Amino acid sequence: MTGTPLEAAGRARRDGPTLRYDVNRDELAEVLADEPRYRVDQVWDGIHEQGGELEDLTNLPKTLRARLGDLLPMGLTPETESVSDEGDTVKWLWRLHDGHTIETVLMHYDDRTTVCVSSQAGCAMGCGFCATGQSGFDRHLSVGEIVEQVIQARRTSAPRRVSNIVFMGMGEPFANYDRTWAAVERIHDALGIGARHITLSTVGVIPGIERLATEALPVNLAVSLHAANDDLRDELVPINRQYPLNHLVDACRRYIDAKNRRLSFEWALIDGVNDQAIDAEELAVICRQLRAHVNLIPLNPTPGYLTRGTSAAGVRSFRDHLEDLGVNVTIRRTRGTEIDAACGQLRASRQLVDPPRRR
Ligand code: SAH
Ligand code: SF4
């Protein structure tokens, strides 16, 4: 893109094209420096409103639309689209400009519609029970690649409005903090999704938790705990060796004190591994200190991890035990298991080429 106005904006990426949703409003103004000033608002509002396709922006001259398409291309090409739960769950496998792939999941519930976005292609954290972790790290996503997942899912969701965003797709958001946070701000400011409807999920990357505590937007924080003693957590979540439990709990406490907000712990129940009475007791000690909420997810199957998820009865008794110990707990309903769209399954079926199916 040598010599384009984007270089003047100082933001052109060295590793690929500058994508439509990579630019902020000031950078868009640089791109449109030779157009009348009002065009900046027209284009900015146009590409962020529902629909948002250039050809729909009929208030712009055709030549400008074509130029924008060339200068600021879209970044996600649909490879497959899979539908389950009678149309209530849709998963996309997107191909990025450099051939890497990521996934996004759209979930309709009675009271909300949630998009689960990826923050990285792959993940370097190596949790053995997670399909993304099993296949390793490719690269960070750009701001535009994160925001565009919401834009694309919103098109399919219409007329149902996307109300919630969870960063629970592929990748560790706090390992890609700057771009993830810029995407959060854009999703909030330009797409109109309230901060309390945006949730960041981390495996426990302490510097990210500390930075989040300093941000103005009151988004939700979920910490994927899965074990409440270091021996087991070192095994399940290898990053625990770098950020052990007592440090993680301290960081969570500082976050709660700074933000005056509750946080939640994610706990994937693994048969015979972290679903025993002692596990509930250890978890309860931490939750009581932090007044944290627990989300239980029965472990979803992945190709590289043979231990099964806890049975439905086992999940209920773990919940009951936590409740008896005074912990606030919910069981998360599993979505999209048959299309490998459930928690931890993303990328599991990357090699399959199923034909795209439309609802
Ligand atoms: N890297 C971040 C966010 C993406 S993972 C994190 O780990 O929090 C999103 C959630 O899916 C996490 O809570 C993760 O622990 C959970 N998860 C991963 N593999 C899973 C599996 N096989 N079954 C159920 N949940 C899983
Ligand atoms: Fe990465 Fe989260 Fe999967 Fe762990 S659970 S490998 S941190 S995506």
Side-chain angles (χ1 to χ4, degrees):
M1 306 242 341
T2 335
T4 69
L6 274 177
E7 295 217 334
R11 185 93 178 342
R13 292 166 21 178
R14 247 172 280 128
D15 55 347
T18 300
L19 306 174
R20 190 162 313 157
Y21 296 95
D22 276 334
V23 291
N24 62 30
R25 193 190 279 260
D26 291 343
E27 289 156 353
L28 181 67
E30 292 286 341
V31 175
L32 299 176
D34 51 356
E35 295 281 336
R37 279 199 66 78
Y38 63 84
R39 290 281 184 227
V40 178
D41 285 345
Q42 276 182 337
V43 172
W44 183 259
D45 294 346
I47 63 174
H48 288 101
E49 76 193 7
Q50 183 77 46
E53 307 215 38
L54 283 182
E55 53 271 31
D56 298 336
L57 307 184
T58 46
N59 57 348
L60 303 177
K62 239 184 173 159
T63 47
L64 177 57
R65 278 184 265 156
R67 214 180 121 218
L68 279 169
D70 290 343
L71 274 179
L72 298 174
M74 294 290 269
L76 309 182
T77 309
E79 191 88 348
T80 59
E81 179 182 295
S82 329
V83 181
S84 76
D85 301 319
E86 292 169 358
D88 281 346
T89 305
V90 184
K91 180 181 86 164
W92 293 272
L93 177 71
W94 308 107
R95 185 160 296 281
L96 309 177
H97 65 81
D98 56 2
H100 290 307
T101 51
I102 58 159
E103 297 185 312
T104 307
V105 187
L106 169 71
M107 291 163 287
H108 296 295
Y109 299 89
D110 290 345
D111 58 340
R112 66 190 188 283
T113 290
T114 299
V115 180
C116 177
V117 298
S118 296
S119 55
Q120 300 180 306
C123 183
M125 298 293 154
C127 309
F129 53 84
C130 166
T132 311
Q134 287 157 17
S135 38
F137 176 69
D138 292 330
R139 68 166 172 84
H140 296 306
L141 297 189
S142 72
V143 180
E145 286 165 336
I146 300 173
V147 172
E148 195 182 315
Q149 293 173 62
V150 181
I151 300 274
Q152 301 259 24
R154 203 176 55 168
R155 278 180 195 155
T156 297
S157 179
R160 283 191 275 191
R161 202 184 134 261
V162 169
S163 56
N164 293 63
I165 305 296
V166 295
F167 283 76
M168 295 187 181
M170 290 165 62
E172 165 52 43
F174 289 168
N176 185 20
Y177 191 98
D178 292 334
R179 299 178 194 89
T180 295
W181 190 254
V184 165
E185 291 187 318
R186 182 84 59 79
I187 289 165
H188 175 268
D189 299 346
L191 303 185
I193 295 180
R196 288 188 158 77
H197 293 221
I198 301 175
T199 300
L200 295 180
S201 177
T202 180
V203 70
V205 175
I206 293 177
I209 298 174
E210 287 170 339
R211 285 185 69 180
L212 190 69
T214 68
E215 305 287 1
L217 282 183
V219 300
N220 304 308
L221 175 62
V223 175
S224 301
L225 208 59
H226 309 311
N229 71 70
D230 280 319
D231 283 346
L232 181 57
R233 199 163 192 271
D234 281 352
E235 201 184 297
L236 293 178
V237 176
I239 196 72
N240 191 67
R241 295 175 203 147
Q242 194 175 337
Y243 302 118
L245 267 171
N246 58 340
H247 292 192
L248 177 59
V249 169
D250 283 349
C252 290
R253 186 178 298 111
R254 290 194 301 274
Y255 171 85
I256 293 165
D257 290 346
K259 304 297 282 182
N260 203 15
R261 306 229 37 215
R262 307 278 290 265
L263 63 74
S264 55
F265 287 129
E266 307 290 305
W267 192 279
L269 280 162
I270 312 173
D271 193 29
V273 173
N274 65 355
D275 61 356
Q276 307 295 301
I278 178 74
D279 299 298
E281 282 147 25
E282 288 172 348
L283 172 58
V285 172
I286 295 179
C287 290
R288 278 197 303 258
Q289 288 175 40
L290 300 175
R291 302 192 42 226
H293 181 99
V294 174
N295 278 317
L296 298 176
I297 326 149
L299 186 85
N300 293 307
T302 58
Y305 193 79
L306 296 180
T307 316
R308 282 176 306 132
T310 302
S311 67
V315 173
R316 284 194 298 273
S317 79
F318 195 83
R319 176 204 53 200
D320 294 346
H321 195 171
L322 281 176
E323 277 179 347
D324 290 345
L325 295 166
V327 177
N328 201 328
V329 51
T330 43
I331 298 175
R332 191 153 350 113
R333 217 180 108 200
T334 293
R335 273 303 187 85
T337 328
E338 70 269 35
I339 54 168
D340 286 343
C343 296
Q345 293 188 311
L346 299 189
R347 167 160 294 194
S349 59
R350 174 189 194 187
Q351 309 304 338
L352 294 183
V353 193
D354 22 277
R357 259 175 63 197
R358 290 243 155 227
R359 271 189 300 157

